[in-house]
Amino acid sequence: MPSPAPSHPQFAPTPRELDDIELLRTGALAPQFGFRGPGEDVTLCVPLEIARQAHEHGKLEIIDGEGVPLAIVSADETFEAACGQMGIIGDVHPLPGTVQRAFGDHYLSPSASMTRLPTGTLTVPVTGALTARDLETISARSEGRPVLMLVLTGAGTPRALSAEGLMRATLAASRDLTGTAVIATPVAARARSENNLGFQRRVVAAYAPGLDVHWPEGIGPCTPAVAEVVSSDRPTGVDQGLVVFFTGLSGSGKSTISQALRHRIVETGERTISLLDGDIVRQNLSRGLTFSREDRETNIQRIAWVAAEIARHGAMAICSPIAPFDDTRKRARQLVTAGGAAFVLVHVATPLEKCESRDRKGLYAKARRGEVPEFTGISSPYEVPDDADVVLDTSERTVESVLDELLHHLVDGGWLTHRVLDRVTVETESAR
C-alpha cells in the first residue's frame, strides 16, 4: 500500500541548498540553525506556489532528488528572490533520512571530529589536489602530531576536480602522512564568490579539534599517486567530454549546422556523438510540454541534463534548441562544466528577417497572425547571449564555410584533431 501523501508541501532544493541543509543538520553552521533573509550566505528559494503552501502550513519538508525526507523548515517568513521565486526564512529541523554520497563513511559531523581527534591536531582544509610541496609543508608543520584533512566537497567548491575525485586525491595524498584522518563536509560555493573564504573558515572552525589550521597553497606538481587521480578524474583534449550547444532563432540554421557537424565528425571516427535536436527532443524527451516560458525552460533543462550525462562519460553531445533565455543557457553551461566536461555555446546569429524569409514550416506567418502564442522573435523575446564562444551568421554563407569556422574552434580547443578539417562532401548551398 502506498504511503499517504504528506499534509504539508515538499520541495527538492538545488545541490547547493542541499549541501547547506546538511551543514545545518550536522551543526556545522552553529549557532545558526536555519535559512535566513536576502543578502545572507545561507538562503532557500522556492517557486511561488511552494512558498504559498509553505506559508499556509507553516512548514516545508525538504526532500532529496529521490524523495527521501531530510528536514522540516519552519516557514516563518518569506521574501522576494531572483527569477520569480520566493525565499523561505526559518529553522531547519533534521529528519532521520540521510544524504546518500560516495565515500559516505567519511562524511561525519563536527562532534565526531572533536571526539575522535586530540586538540593538538593540525587541521588542513582541502579544496584542490594537494601537491608534493603541500605534503612536505604539512609534514613539517605537524611535527608528528595527528593531521585532519578536512575535504570541502560541496557544489562548486572543489577546484578542477569532482567531489569524488577530490576525495580520491586526498585519500591518495594522506597515505604519505602517518596519523592522518580524512573527513569530508559539503561546503558549497556561495552565490557571491567574495564570501567563499569566510564561509569556508566558519565551517572549518566547527570541525577543527584545535586552533592550528593550515590552508594549503596548491603550488607545484602533485605526487605520482595524486596526479594519476587528477588525470583520470579530469581528462583533457579529445578525452574530455564535450557539449556543443547551439542557440538561435527558428530558421537560423541551427539544425543544418549541427547535423553537418555530426556527419563530419562521425565520418572521421573522431568521437562518439549524440545529437539532441530541438524538434526531435520535443517529440520524445519533452512530449507534452507547451511553449510557455516555464515549459521551454524545462525543455532546455532536460536537454542540458542529458547532454551533461553524455559528456560526463567522455562522449560528445550536440544540442540545437532555440534556447532563448540567457539564464537557462547559463545554467546549462554550469551543469555541464560541473561534471568536468567542456561547454561550447554557438550563437547562430542569423537576422530575424532572413529566418522569417526561410519559414519552411510557416510558423512565422502563423505567429504574425497571432495563431502561435509566445513565438520567439515575434511575441516572445530572444535574449542575445553575451557569452557565446562562437557566433555564426548563415545569411550569405555556405554550410561548409560555417562548419569549417566551427571546426577550427573545436580543434583549437583541443577537443578534436586536425583530421576533421579535411574536406568531405557537404551540402554547399546556404544554410537553411
Side-chain angles (χ1 to χ4, degrees):
M1 176 180 293
S3 301
S7 60
H8 45 267
Q10 292 182 319
F11 179 65
T14 65
R16 181 188 67 79
E17 291 166 335
L18 280 174
D19 287 337
D20 287 351
I21 287 169
E22 190 64 11
L23 295 179
L24 291 165
R25 277 164 43 99
T26 60
L29 290 179
Q32 181 176 339
F33 299 103
F35 290 103
R36 296 297 177 248
E40 298 291 333
D41 280 337
V42 184
T43 59
L44 174 65
C45 295
V46 303
L48 294 176
E49 179 58 22
I50 296 292
R52 185 192 66 76
Q53 295 175 18
H55 181 71
E56 179 182 323
H57 288 81
K59 58 184 176 180
L60 176 65
E61 184 174 85
I62 300 298
I63 59 175
D64 67 8
E66 296 181 350
V68 176
L70 299 175
I72 296 291
V73 179
S74 58
D76 301 330
E77 299 179 55
T78 61
F79 61 90
E80 290 188 7
C83 300
Q85 293 193 317
M86 295 293 289
I88 300 290
I89 299 176
D91 287 345
V92 170
H93 306 276
L95 295 175
T98 57
V99 177
Q100 298 299 315
R101 303 177 188 270
F103 300 102
D105 55 336
H106 286 273
Y107 283 85
L108 304 176
S109 67
S111 59
S113 170
M114 299 295 187
T115 55
R116 289 177 52 177
L117 299 167
T119 56
T121 298
L122 172 65
T123 300
V124 180
V126 182
T127 60
L130 294 170
T131 65
R133 177 173 168 178
D134 287 331
L135 294 178
E136 291 176 1
T137 303
I138 294 168
S139 178
R141 181 160 173 171
S142 66
E143 298 179 323
R145 292 176 293 144
V147 173
L148 166 60
M149 291 185 177
L150 185 63
V151 189
L152 311 186
T153 63
T157 291
R159 292 182 286 106
L161 286 169
S162 65
E164 296 79 13
L166 182 59
M167 280 298 301
R168 290 196 300 271
T170 306
L171 289 169
S174 71
R175 298 184 188 109
D176 292 333
L177 294 172
T178 57
T180 298
V182 178
I183 293 178
T185 182
V187 182
R190 298 299 89 192
R192 293 176 293 181
S193 58
E194 64 270 19
N195 293 356
N196 275 333
L197 183 56
F199 187 75
Q200 290 172 4
R201 289 184 184 278
R202 179 179 173 186
V203 176
V204 170
Y207 275 90
L211 298 177
D212 197 359
V213 177
H214 169 69
W215 291 78
E217 295 180 331
I219 297 174
C222 297
T223 63
V226 175
E228 183 178 355
V229 174
V230 173
S231 177
S232 64
D233 185 69
R234 285 293 186 260
T236 58
V238 295
D239 295 321
Q240 183 182 24
L242 173 64
V243 173
V244 179
F245 194 98
F246 289 88
T247 177
L249 296 171
S250 176
S252 60
K254 301 184 303 299
S255 293
T256 302
I257 303 169
S258 62
Q259 290 168 4
L261 175 63
R262 178 189 179 278
H263 296 334
R264 176 74 72 94
I265 296 174
V266 297
E267 285 169 357
T268 61
E270 281 277 302
R271 304 192 65 138
T272 301
I273 300 177
S274 293
L275 177 61
L276 302 175
D277 181 78
D279 290 337
I280 296 174
V281 169
R282 279 277 179 180
Q283 295 170 14
N284 297 279
L285 185 64
S286 294
R287 179 178 295 177
L289 292 183
T290 68
F291 287 90
S292 68
R293 174 161 186 156
E294 181 180 1
D295 279 2
R296 279 186 285 177
E297 289 184 333
T298 298
N299 180 51
I300 300 305
Q301 289 168 4
R302 291 178 181 179
I303 291 173
W305 186 85
V306 172
E309 286 298 297
I310 291 169
R312 187 166 64 87
H313 296 285
M316 177 177 176
I318 301 173
C319 313
S320 56
I322 292 175
F325 304 121
D326 183 65
D327 183 65
T328 313
R329 294 190 299 258
K330 282 183 167 57
R331 289 202 301 269
R333 182 190 290 272
Q334 184 179 27
L335 182 62
V336 170
T337 56
F343 185 93
V344 176
L345 181 64
V346 181
H347 178 206
V348 185
T350 307
L352 174 63
E353 312 82 67
K354 186 66 175 181
C355 296
E356 192 166 359
S357 70
R358 293 168 177 170
D359 202 16
R360 290 181 291 178
K361 301 175 184 177
L363 295 176
Y364 281 99
K366 291 181 180 179
R368 292 289 185 188
R369 295 194 299 266
E371 298 173 9
V372 181
E374 299 191 75
F375 189 82
T376 301
I378 305 297
S379 52
S380 183
Y382 177 82
E383 298 174 358
V384 176
D386 59 5
D387 59 343
D389 302 289
V390 180
V391 179
L392 305 171
D393 183 344
T394 67
S395 299
E396 306 297 335
R397 299 180 62 184
T398 65
V399 173
E400 189 169 82
S401 69
V402 171
L403 177 61
D404 278 353
E405 180 179 343
L406 176 55
L407 286 170
H408 273 91
H409 179 85
L410 299 178
V411 170
D412 291 344
W415 301 296
L416 298 173
T417 71
H418 282 81
R419 285 194 305 164
V420 300
L421 299 178
D422 295 338
R423 297 284 177 176
V424 294
T425 302
V426 206
E427 182 185 6
T428 55
E429 56 187 285
S430 294
R432 292 191 292 264

